[in-house]
Structures are given as C-alpha cells and as structure tokens.
Amino acid sequence: MTTIKQPAGTRLCGAAVAAMATNNTIAHVIENAKGGNECCSRLLWMAAYLNRCGVLMGTFASVADYRTGERMTIEPETESLVLECPMKGRPAVIGVDSETKAGQLHWVYWDGESVRDPNPAAVDQRPLSDYAGHIVDVYPLTFVLDD
C-alpha cells in the first residue's frame, strides 16, 4: 500500500484517507464524493463515498472523555487503545488533533499495521503510539466488496 498525501495547503486529508481505504486516487474521490474539493471533510460524506465503494465505517468510537477532556492512551507494544479496542490488523479511519492547525481535526488512515498520515510533512507509516493523547475518534472499517 502507498500512502496518499493531500496536496499542500489543502483540507483534503479526508479525501486522501478515503482514497487509501478504497485504493483510488484523490481525484476519483473528489469526482465521486459529495462536496467537490471539500469532499470527505464531513464525516457523513466520507462514509457515503466509502459505502459506495464497498467499505463500511464502523460505529463511532470516541477515545476522549468530553466531560473532562482526558484522552485515552495507547499501549505501544500491541498498538492497542487502552479502552480495550485492539487495532492490530483492523483498518480504521482515525480522527486526530491536527499537528499543523491548532483546534482542528485531521483524518489519518490506520492500515492495521501503521498510520498513514496524508499530511505532506508527516513521516510515512508511523506507529499508532505516535498519536497517543491526540486521537479524537476511531471508525473501524469493514470491506464488503473484495476484488
């Protein structure tokens, strides 16, 4: 698998993640998902595009306690969220705190082994533990149409 980077200066991280999850291009996602150049910036648009491509987004799994703002941690050896959500071998769309824009959400793709971050400046194939304390939510993926 190749990490797809969003074009610098754009808000196309969601489109890049959708492209990685479906083995398509960002151009394909923009053409076929609702929202044009803002496609997949909204979770519903991303879920609809993925669904049309045979990929189902699982139920929202928040890893933040919104009452206290406390974040869950990651056990680095098994790449598991402490909330008993093993991630090894299970692809997911993950919302994280943006490393470049304070207060904004950024989408990354967990391929089951490593994080593929569409940020052009991000190191490729990072461990999930690099995002400890910055994961906002997790959407496990189920692939229902295999080629």
Side-chain angles (χ1 to χ4, degrees):
M1 161 174 227
T2 303
T3 301
I4 297 175
K5 299 291 187 175
Q6 69 194 78
T10 69
R11 295 182 46 148
L12 291 172
C13 58
V17 166
M20 285 186 272
T22 59
N23 199 28
N24 283 314
T25 64
I26 290 177
H28 183 272
V29 176
I30 291 170
E31 252 179 59
N32 294 283
K34 184 176 180 179
N37 282 334
E38 289 294 313
C39 70
C40 300
S41 59
R42 294 189 181 170
L43 186 63
L44 180 60
W45 293 350
M46 185 190 305
Y49 172 80
L50 292 173
N51 189 327
R52 284 194 303 276
C53 294
V55 180
L56 303 179
M57 288 183 79
T59 304
F60 169 77
S62 175
V63 295
D65 182 338
Y66 289 102
R67 294 165 295 175
T68 64
E70 186 176 312
R71 298 283 168 88
M72 298 293 172
T73 57
I74 297 167
E75 201 290 306
E77 194 170 310
T78 60
E79 293 287 318
S80 296
L81 297 173
V82 172
L83 55 76
E84 299 300 323
C85 181
M87 299 294 292
K88 201 86 160 160
R90 296 180 175 144
V93 171
I94 300 177
V96 299
D97 295 321
S98 173
E99 294 178 330
T100 58
K101 295 182 180 172
Q104 289 194 14
L105 184 70
H106 175 63
W107 296 112
V108 298
Y109 181 65
W110 168 253
D111 67 9
E113 299 297 324
S114 62
V115 173
R116 300 203 177 248
D117 192 330
N119 174 357
V123 174
D124 195 18
Q125 294 182 269
R126 293 163 68 180
L128 193 58
S129 55
D130 278 6
Y131 294 87
H134 299 284
I135 295 174
V136 178
D137 44 44
V138 176
Y139 299 89
L141 299 179
T142 301
F143 297 84
V144 293
L145 296 177
D146 290 327
D147 292 336

